[in-house]
């Protein structure tokens, strides 16, 4: 009997390719997300340091102009933190959308894989029947020769 050939192998191969590509994109997004979190942590550390520095210098006596400069610096850091948090939220949304894409593609691929398995089971059953028929014919021919 001829070798098993699944007519949708190219579709399955394409879906595997799509799945790998989308998973790679998701991995890249997660890496970018981690970097954004690290940048946020650094900004928070910088903010806390600037606040402590301001408090220490204020307690020791600070010129009004120097205080204003330090407070502006602290406000700038605070704005950077807010912008960073907005970027983090945006990246979370991108990750969620990409995750949904990966899930959808995986489901599509699994549908084709299940179809392939069913076709292979049918093929295997036909092979077994064919072999049984061959054996029966061989035995029948053998008896007729004897």
């Amino acid at each position: 009997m001829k070798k098993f050939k699944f007519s949708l192998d190219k579709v399955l191969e394409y879906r595997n390719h799509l799945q790998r590509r989308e998973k790679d994109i998701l991995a890249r997004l997660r890496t970018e997300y981690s970097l954004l979190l690290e940048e946020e942590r650094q900004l928070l550390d910088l903010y806390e340091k600037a606040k402590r520095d301001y408090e220490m210098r204020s307690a020791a006596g600070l010129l009004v102009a120097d205080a204003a400069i330090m407070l502006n610096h602290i406000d700038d850091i605070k704005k950077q933190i807010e912008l960073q948090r907005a970027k983090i939220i945006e990246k979370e949304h991108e990750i969620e959308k990409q995750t949904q894409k990966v899930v959808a593609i995986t489901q599509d691929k699994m549908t084709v894989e299940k179809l392939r398995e069913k076709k292979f089971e049918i093929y295997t059953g036909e092979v077994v029947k064919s072999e049984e028929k061959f054996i029966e014919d061989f035995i029948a021919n053998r008896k007729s020769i004897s």
Side-chain angles (χ1 to χ4, degrees):
M1 189 162 199
K2 65 182 179 178
K3 182 180 169 186
F4 175 71
K5 183 166 179 0
F6 183 55
S7 61
L8 297 176
D9 268 340
K10 290 289 183 189
V11 172
L12 187 57
E13 190 177 304
Y14 176 70
R15 297 244 168 102
N16 279 327
H17 170 73
L18 279 180
Q19 184 185 33
R20 281 190 305 275
R21 190 183 79 200
E22 296 301 327
K23 281 184 174 183
D24 289 345
I25 291 170
L26 182 58
R28 182 182 48 80
L29 289 173
R30 286 182 174 157
T31 300
E32 291 171 1
Y33 179 74
S34 295
L35 292 173
L36 288 173
L37 289 176
E38 178 60 26
E39 290 172 8
E40 179 192 33
R41 188 193 60 74
Q42 290 174 357
L43 285 170
L44 288 170
D45 289 347
L46 184 63
Y47 175 77
E48 291 300 320
K49 184 179 178 246
K51 269 183 34 179
R52 282 192 307 273
D53 189 35
Y54 172 76
E55 290 168 357
M56 285 180 13
R57 292 185 67 191
S58 294
L62 186 62
L63 296 175
V64 175
D66 291 339
I69 291 170
M70 291 183 84
L71 288 174
N72 279 339
H73 178 66
I74 291 171
D75 285 341
D76 287 343
I77 296 171
K78 202 174 192 180
K79 288 175 185 172
Q80 288 176 6
I81 291 170
E82 290 171 6
L83 287 173
Q84 192 69 16
R85 287 189 177 149
K87 288 178 185 177
I88 289 170
I89 290 170
E90 182 181 329
K91 193 61 67 177
E92 287 172 347
H93 291 304
E94 287 179 40
I95 288 171
E96 180 61 32
K97 286 179 185 176
Q98 190 63 30
T99 301
Q100 290 172 357
K101 276 185 181 179
V102 169
V103 167
I105 288 171
T106 302
Q107 288 173 343
D108 288 345
K109 184 184 123 189
M110 288 175 62
T111 301
V112 176
E113 285 175 340
K114 285 180 183 177
L115 180 61
R116 185 181 195 283
E117 288 172 13
K118 286 181 183 179
K119 295 282 187 181
F120 186 72
E121 285 176 16
I122 292 169
Y123 169 80
T124 305
E126 290 173 357
V127 167
V128 168
K129 285 180 186 177
S130 173
E131 289 173 353
E132 287 174 353
K133 174 83 170 121
F134 176 77
I135 292 170
E136 287 174 8
D137 290 345
F138 181 77
I139 292 173
N141 286 338
R142 193 80 179 171
K143 285 183 181 179
S144 66
I145 293 176
S146 314

